[in-house]
Each structure stands twice: as C-alpha cells, then as structure tokens.
C-alpha cells in the first residue's frame, strides 16, 4: 500500500506541475488537455510524461527541442509522492486522502507563491471549501458529524480573523504589509482541516522556520534579508507539516 500511495502521489505531483505552471500565466488547466514543453510548446508524448522516470531518461531535456526542463518538475512529483505516503502512514485509509488533499494544495500554492509572490484566490477558496466538505469524514475534528462540521467552520473563521488581525495591526505598527491576502486565506483553509486549536502552533512553527531561513540566507548570501518581503505561504506549509508530525 505504501508503494501504491507513492505512485498515487507521483501522478498528482504531475498534475501539481500543471497547476504551478499554468495558473500564474492565466492558462486554462483544462485546455489544452495535453502536457506541452514550456520551451517549444509542442505536445509531450505520454511515454515522455511519466513522472520522474521520463525526466531521468531524457536527462531533463525536451525530446523535440532538446532544451532543459526545470528540475522543479521531478522535485514537485517526488514531494507529492512522499506526502501521499506520509498521509497514509499518519492517518490511514481513507483519512489519509483528506490530508493529502491539504498537502497537495499547500505544495502547489507554496511553489506559486515562491516564484510569483501571488496565489490565485481559486486555490485558497478550494482549500477552504474542501476543508468544510471533508469535515464530515475528518476524525481530527471530533467524534460526531455535527461537531466536526462546526469545528471546521469555526477553524476557518477564526483562522481568517486571527491572521487578518496580525496583518491589520502589524501594518499599522511597521507601516508596511506584514501578511499577504493569500497567507490569510490559506491559514483559514488550514483551520477548516484542524479547527482553531492548531493556529497558534502553526503560526509559531511557520514564523520560526521563516526566521531560520532569513538568518541562514543572510549568512550565506552576505546580504541583509531581515525586513525584506519574503513569500510566507511556503513557511505556513512547513509549519502545518511540523504540526501534523506532532499529532
């Protein structure tokens, strides 16, 4: 089952790459229905589109134009494969599917935020809606269905208000944006999966990981990063993952 979970994750990792590439560029995820080379735009044959394996066999190049294809493609696929296995081992089946959905979207929005510093509202709203819908089956939210749905809604509302308050008062104090709109909505979505009790811990782990990144980057790059804007969604993802590890 672990191997099946990994393959399941690889397949969704391939789809994650579609979302990461197309959404920021405003390209429909439905049309064209086939994958294409980001350089020559020609259709990629199915046998050249097998997650990770095709990338290795083609040495990271397009078969047609021979230009390099970003290493991020297999990295995203492997990350999703690992997250699928983790979700299965941590929560079992079918509970693991619920939390793989969470990790899948967080992976997509993290890469988009890191590359563009913008996240489409559609992904944030998808996370919130699925969190509420899946709450019926989410045992992390309680033993009874009514309690689960109520905790999910409460988590989403408090998650939004809590992070919005940080942005509102933080911007007044520091005279600049502290959190982006995507950070607030993604946090609301996470709240629908774990309820409000997770928010303080996730904020702590997110902030700590971001601080470590800033300090290490400042040391390595020999430049002042502290005080500059950095995409925070990836660190919210990391904070959420650490939180789940501790459950």
């Amino acid at each position: 089952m672990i191997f099946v979970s990994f393959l399941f994750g690889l397949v969704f990792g391939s789809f994650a790459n579609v979302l990461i590439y197309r959404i920021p560029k405003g390209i429909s995820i439905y049309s064209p229905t086939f994958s294409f080379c980001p350089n020559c735009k020609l259709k990629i044959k199915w046998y050249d589109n097998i997650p990770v394996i095709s990338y290795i066999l083609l040495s990271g190049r397009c078969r047609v134009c021979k230009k390099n294809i970003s290493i991020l493609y297999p990295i995203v696929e492997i990350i999703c494969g690992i997250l699928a296995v983790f979700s299965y081992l941590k929560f079992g089946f079918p509970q693991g599917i619920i939390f793989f959905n969470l990790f899948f979207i967080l992976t997509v929005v993290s890469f988009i935020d890191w590359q563009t510093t913008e996240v489409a509202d559609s992904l944030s709203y998808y996370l919130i809606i699925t969190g509420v819908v899946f709450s019926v089956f989410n045992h992390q939210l309680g033993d009874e269905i009514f309690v689960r749905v109520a905790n999910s809604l409460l988590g989403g509302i408090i998650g939004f208000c809590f992070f919005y308050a940080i942005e509102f008062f933080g911007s007044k104090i520091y005279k600049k944006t502290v959190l982006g709109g995507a950070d607030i909505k993604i946090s609301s979505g996470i709240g629908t999966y774990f309820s409000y009790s997770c928010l303080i811990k996730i904020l702590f782990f997110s902030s700590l990981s971001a601080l470590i990144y800033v300090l290490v980057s400042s040391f390595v790059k020999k430049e002042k990063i502290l005080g500059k804007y950095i995409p925070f969604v990836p660190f919210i993802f990391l904070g959420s993952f650490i939180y789940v590890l501790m459950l």
Side-chain angles (χ1 to χ4, degrees):
M1 194 64 183
I2 293 177
F3 181 68
V4 173
S5 298
F6 185 69
L7 291 180
F8 177 82
L10 288 181
V11 172
F12 272 85
S14 182
F15 180 56
N17 280 321
V18 172
L19 299 178
I20 293 168
Y21 178 80
R22 295 192 184 190
I23 289 178
K25 292 178 170 56
I27 304 174
S28 171
I29 63 174
Y30 307 107
S31 179
T33 56
F34 55 82
S35 296
F36 55 86
C37 171
N39 299 304
C40 65
K41 310 301 181 185
L42 293 179
K43 179 180 179 179
I44 297 177
K45 302 294 185 182
W46 69 266
Y47 47 79
D48 289 335
N49 204 28
I50 302 172
V52 181
I53 295 176
S54 292
Y55 189 90
I56 295 173
L57 293 177
L58 293 171
S59 300
R61 300 176 184 272
C62 171
R63 184 184 293 275
V64 179
C65 69
K66 307 301 182 183
K67 290 187 177 180
N68 291 331
I69 295 177
S70 174
I71 188 65
L72 288 180
Y73 283 86
I75 288 177
V76 169
E77 291 165 351
I78 292 172
I79 288 174
C80 287
I82 293 173
L83 289 173
V85 172
F86 172 77
S87 299
Y88 168 71
L89 293 176
K90 185 70 176 180
F91 300 103
F93 180 83
Q95 285 284 299
I97 295 178
I98 296 175
F99 293 97
F100 175 70
N101 178 74
L102 169 65
F103 291 136
F104 171 79
I105 294 299
L106 289 178
T107 300
V108 172
V109 296
S110 293
F111 276 92
I112 291 177
D113 190 40
W114 193 261
Q115 294 173 353
T116 69
T117 69
E118 294 182 0
V119 176
D121 285 340
S122 57
L123 293 171
S124 302
Y125 294 148
Y126 171 84
L127 194 64
I128 295 171
I129 292 171
T130 54
V132 175
V133 172
F134 291 159
S135 67
V136 176
F137 312 101
N138 186 352
H139 295 166
Q140 296 297 316
L141 294 170
D143 296 325
E144 299 179 3
I145 293 178
F146 174 79
V147 174
R148 295 172 192 167
V149 175
N151 281 334
S152 178
L153 290 170
L154 195 60
I157 294 171
I158 294 179
F160 181 89
C161 294
F162 179 63
F163 279 79
Y164 181 81
I166 293 175
E167 158 57 20
F168 179 80
F169 291 109
S171 63
K172 297 295 183 183
I173 296 172
Y174 296 105
K175 307 300 181 183
K176 62 181 180 180
T177 300
V178 176
L179 291 175
D183 303 329
I184 298 170
K185 284 173 278 193
I186 291 297
S187 300
S188 175
I190 294 172
T192 63
Y193 280 80
F194 297 110
S195 193
Y196 61 90
S197 60
C198 72
L199 298 172
I200 296 295
K201 292 180 180 178
I202 288 178
L203 177 62
F204 171 76
F205 292 132
S206 302
S207 301
L208 180 61
S209 58
L211 178 61
I212 292 173
Y213 165 78
V214 168
L215 294 176
V216 172
S217 297
S218 298
F219 177 77
V220 173
K221 296 181 180 179
K222 305 297 182 181
E223 62 178 282
K224 184 180 178 181
I225 298 179
L226 192 65
K228 293 184 178 180
Y229 177 81
I230 60 171
F232 194 54
V233 170
F235 299 105
I236 294 177
F237 178 17
L238 183 57
S240 301
F241 184 76
I242 296 173
Y243 171 79
V244 173
L245 277 175
M246 297 178 64
L247 288 177

